Amino acid sequence: MPSWKKLSLQDSASPLMEQLSFFHDHTLMILVIITVLVGQILINVLMNKFTHRLLLEGQIIELIWTILPALILVFIAIPSLRLIYILDEINNPIISIKTIGHQWYWSYEYSDFNNIEFDSFMLPANSSKSELFRLLDVDNRMVVPFNSQIRILVTSTDVIHSWTIPTLGVKIDATPGRINQVNLISNRPGLFFGQCSEICGANHSFMPIVMESVSPKFFIKWISKSL
């Protein structure tokens, strides 16, 4: 969960987010190397009173600054394309959960279990619950088992919303009249918070997302109580 002084990415809670963090570090390392190299060249050119006679009209240097950026783009594109294919890959999900965006709350349907349905509203600031996180906690959390492949089907009834949980590396639009799907795997138990990431109206900031990741045994107990 992020705090006001946190500048880096949140700790990953899924294999996908781990790969996204690695890709972020990989790209940032390349950018730092380019920045240092270009900065050093600029300083040398500006501070040096001599001019290299082959610098402005040299075939070799033009060949280098054409091929080198192309190679750098290849080193960035290969892991990026790999991540795109991982994002789209859904193999035999154990559970399918339908997420519906409304102005301004979320509702969930567990159609695999006799149509368990519930709405998820943000808890008011004066709530008496001790575990309250201001503007982030909800009255009904989405519960999933960890280390299980979950398919999330996302849609909307009114305007475009965006179902987002940063720790899991999940961000998908909820579009009226269309069902989008995303793969989800949580590798540890806990509470994972998110918010609508598409400006959807006056109360856009007040429709948080809370996913509770539990063991399969507790998930079965929760399903039994909800039936």
Side-chain angles (χ1 to χ4, degrees):
M1 181 177 175
S3 61
W4 64 272
K5 60 182 178 180
K6 188 176 181 63
L7 298 177
S8 60
L9 298 173
Q10 297 183 34
D11 294 335
S12 60
S14 70
L16 174 60
M17 188 57 192
E18 288 179 0
Q19 294 300 317
L20 288 171
S21 298
F22 292 150
F23 176 67
H24 170 269
D25 296 340
H26 169 76
T27 308
L28 196 63
M29 180 188 67
I30 293 176
L31 291 176
V32 168
I33 293 173
I34 293 172
T35 304
V36 172
L37 181 62
V38 173
Q40 181 67 29
I41 293 173
L42 286 174
I43 290 173
N44 287 339
V45 169
L46 293 174
M47 300 297 291
N48 194 348
K49 61 182 179 181
F50 299 105
T51 302
H52 196 285
R53 66 187 181 91
L54 297 178
L55 180 65
L56 300 179
E57 295 183 4
Q59 298 296 324
I60 295 178
I61 194 169
E62 289 183 3
L63 191 65
I64 290 173
W65 70 40
T66 301
I67 294 177
L68 195 59
L71 291 175
I72 291 171
L73 289 176
V74 169
F75 279 106
I76 295 176
I78 290 175
S80 175
L81 291 173
R82 176 174 167 270
L83 271 175
I84 289 174
Y85 282 105
I86 291 175
L87 276 167
D88 289 337
E89 187 175 353
I90 299 178
N91 293 321
N92 301 320
I94 296 177
I95 303 168
S96 294
I97 304 173
K98 189 174 182 181
T99 303
I100 305 171
H102 307 267
Q103 287 184 315
W104 288 270
Y105 64 96
W106 297 96
S107 61
Y108 301 96
E109 297 179 4
Y110 290 72
S111 54
D112 297 331
F113 303 96
N114 290 330
N115 263 345
I116 297 175
E117 302 177 7
F118 56 88
D119 297 329
S120 181
F121 290 90
M122 185 188 73
L123 287 175
N126 57 359
S127 175
S128 59
K129 291 191 175 183
S130 59
E131 69 271 17
L132 171 67
F133 291 96
R134 183 177 177 270
L135 300 182
L136 284 178
D137 215 342
V138 295
D139 54 357
N140 292 310
R141 297 166 177 165
M142 186 182 80
V143 181
V144 299
F146 65 81
N147 288 336
S148 302
Q149 194 167 26
I150 313 296
R151 178 173 61 180
I152 306 293
L153 304 172
V154 184
T155 187
S156 173
T157 59
D158 34 53
V159 298
I160 298 177
H161 302 277
S162 184
W163 196 82
T164 307
I165 300 181
T167 20
L168 301 176
V170 175
K171 183 179 185 295
I172 184 167
D173 286 342
T175 309
R178 177 185 174 91
I179 295 179
N180 296 323
Q181 68 176 7
V182 66
N183 190 28
L184 182 70
I185 300 176
S186 171
N187 55 15
R188 59 184 171 90
L191 290 178
F192 307 118
F193 297 89
Q195 289 177 304
C196 176
S197 298
E198 186 75 30
I199 297 176
C200 56
N203 292 329
H204 156 70
S205 302
F206 306 106
M207 48 182 305
I209 302 157
V210 182
M211 193 191 84
E212 186 172 356
S213 179
V214 298
S215 67
K217 181 194 295 186
F218 284 103
F219 177 75
I220 293 173
K221 287 184 178 179
W222 179 80
I223 288 293
S224 302
K225 291 179 181 178
S226 301
L227 292 175

